[in-house]
Amino acid sequence: MNPLIDPFGRAITYLRVSVTDRCDLRCIYCMRARMRFLPREELLSLEELDRVCAAFVERGVKRIRFTGGEPLVRKGFLDLVQRVARHIGDGLDEVTVTTNGVQLAEFAAPLYRAGVRRVNVSVDSLDRETFARIARRDRLTEVLNGIAEAKRAGLQVKINTVALKHDNAHEIPDLVKWAHAQGMDITLIETMPLGEIDEDRTDQFLSLARIREDMQSYWTLHDLPDRSGGPARFVRVEETGGRLGFITPLTHNFCESCSRVRLTCTGQLYPCLGHEKSVDLRQPLRSGDNDMALHGAIDDAIAIRPKGHDFLIERLSHPATARHMSVTGG
Ligand code: SAM
Ligand code: SF4
């Protein structure tokens, strides 16, 4: 099978898979308070997800990250992880999960047993009230327990924090200190214009370039050469000793080294997070057991992979794409 190389010579080695659009939180930058979720028959079944992951491993994908929505609310998720993890050491290097951590206490040890070694947990505040305001649910205690349990189970935990001008800007240095004190990397994310939400995104947008500048007035940041194959850039904070990432899709162009593609929970393959163009894999998956049509559709998606994304700060209040991050998989 041919490896996946896009028209600009970039090899596709990383697949992010949204396994559900549903979630047990309703973060203000991600969803509306009242979300209408997709009918179940529109979602790829666990068998279909397994087949599609196997097809990508055959084509050279080395890392698969499961996300959502909230992956831990998908029934049978552990089975899927177990099945996909059978390719580890046989083409695939790792299977990772991005979760909000609400149910992680229960899932941590089973995920480890299934073959997962690293999880990303999203934490936007360590203050119970602020957390509840951002997530529209009072679940900070569960998330912190989940993180503790994950570490106990042997999982390496990385924290993701979305930087929000009004809600958590003042707390970011504390979040970094907290993560580093526990030996966890932390990555800050700028809000991206994905899907309609109840608020105005321009109002909450906080430039990470600005945060970084502020931090340099009290910390020493050393640039690191580490690349994740995605949009993050990393520094070492001398004072805490920990690693800090910045995901700045709006103020920094990360596309030249991007090796990622994304599969939505309905089977749309998006070769770029910031573009509307996608190719449907569900129909070829459902057309029979033969994976020829599936591989053809994957090739079609890679062939339309654009050179770079389309996000612009001026367009923050008008979503660049109609789909929410929860469908595409953040
Ligand atoms: N529910 C899981 C979680 O929150 O980690 C996994 C899915 S969530 C869509 C993945 C990541 O995307 C989270 O870190 C979340 O904060 C981030 N995210 C969601 N919507 C976003 C947006 N519009 N802009 C930037 N980041 C976003
Ligand atoms: Fe759910 Fe994650 Fe979106 Fe928050 S960011 S609403 S936890 S999918």
Side-chain angles (χ1 to χ4, degrees):
M1 278 285 174
N2 299 339
L4 299 170
I5 311 284
D6 79 6
F8 303 94
R10 295 167 297 191
I12 309 305
T13 54
Y14 184 114
L15 174 68
R16 213 167 252 239
V17 183
S18 172
V19 298
T20 177
D21 61 326
R22 284 161 202 265
C23 188
D24 40 10
L25 300 181
R26 294 287 183 280
C27 303
I28 50 176
Y29 50 81
C30 178
M31 292 192 180
R32 289 182 185 277
R34 290 165 192 277
M35 285 291 288
R36 186 176 308 171
F37 293 112
L38 295 163
R40 278 175 210 282
E41 61 277 12
E42 289 208 17
L43 300 189
L44 293 187
S45 67
L46 296 178
E47 289 69 27
E48 289 164 343
L49 285 164
D50 180 29
R51 260 176 76 199
V52 109
C53 289
F56 272 99
V57 174
E58 257 185 88
R59 306 296 299 275
V61 159
K62 305 240 166 281
R63 295 163 66 196
I64 295 181
R65 175 173 293 280
F66 289 116
T67 176
E70 174 49 38
L72 301 186
V73 306
R74 173 84 198 242
K75 269 212 187 77
F77 177 63
L78 274 176
D79 283 346
L80 174 68
V81 173
Q82 235 160 14
R83 282 198 244 172
V84 172
R86 74 185 184 275
H87 302 290
I88 293 176
D90 190 16
L92 187 64
D93 291 343
E94 64 171 356
V95 174
T96 54
V97 178
T98 298
T99 170
N100 61 27
V102 171
Q103 299 190 50
L104 190 55
E106 179 193 338
F107 279 90
L111 280 174
Y112 187 92
R113 282 197 296 274
V116 175
R117 293 294 175 267
R118 298 195 304 132
V119 292
N120 285 1
V121 183
S122 303
V123 181
D124 297 329
S125 175
L126 292 171
D127 173 71
R128 187 173 162 186
E129 267 178 39
T130 312
F131 182 99
R133 188 169 66 244
I134 297 173
R136 296 198 186 97
R137 300 283 188 276
D138 183 10
R139 298 278 190 277
L140 178 63
T141 309
E142 288 87 335
V143 174
L144 296 180
N145 285 341
I147 291 171
E149 208 47 60
K151 292 166 98 186
R152 246 192 303 276
L155 294 168
Q156 197 184 322
V157 180
K158 196 196 90 184
I159 303 298
N160 282 339
T161 302
V162 172
L164 302 164
K165 188 153 81 189
H166 302 301
D167 288 305
N168 68 1
H170 62 285
E171 230 195 294
I172 287 177
D174 286 341
L175 275 155
V176 173
K177 279 193 263 179
W178 165 78
H180 288 175
Q182 301 195 44
M184 301 184 291
D185 288 349
I186 177 167
T187 295
L188 305 175
I189 308 174
E190 275 175 355
T191 51
M192 290 177 240
L194 295 174
E196 299 284 346
I197 54 171
D198 297 328
E199 304 198 352
D200 176 3
R201 278 202 177 87
T202 33
D203 192 42
Q204 279 277 19
F205 179 73
L206 179 58
S207 152
L208 291 186
R210 210 17 233 295
I211 295 189
R212 192 179 163 147
E213 237 176 77
D214 285 354
M215 278 179 179
Q216 279 166 326
S217 68
Y218 48 85
W219 282 339
T220 316
L221 308 181
H222 298 285
D223 280 315
L224 293 173
D226 317 16
R227 290 283 181 271
S228 59
R233 294 290 174 269
F234 298 95
V235 297
R236 173 85 49 205
V237 181
E238 194 173 295
E239 288 74 6
T240 62
R243 209 167 73 127
L244 168 64
F246 296 92
I247 299 191
T248 55
L250 297 160
T251 52
H252 187 281
N253 194 306
F254 55 83
C255 306
E256 68 280 359
S257 59
C258 178
S259 60
R260 303 178 169 192
V261 293
R262 290 174 157 82
L263 184 69
T264 70
C265 52
T266 58
Q268 298 293 314
L269 182 60
Y270 279 90
C272 169
L273 177 64
H275 277 261
E276 271 307 336
K277 282 189 195 155
S278 66
V279 169
D280 177 40
L281 301 189
R282 190 175 63 188
Q283 199 274 332
L285 269 168
R286 291 186 180 172
S287 66
D289 294 336
N290 184 331
D291 282 345
M292 287 301 285
L294 174 63
H295 282 290
I298 293 173
D299 285 328
D300 291 346
I302 303 309
I304 60 165
R305 197 161 190 258
K307 192 161 180 212
H309 69 64
D310 250 358
F311 300 138
L312 282 176
I313 296 176
E314 309 87 75
R315 289 222 251 124
L316 260 182
S317 51
H318 311 288
T321 71
R323 66 208 139 82
H324 287 93
M325 189 76 126
S326 47
V327 172
T328 319

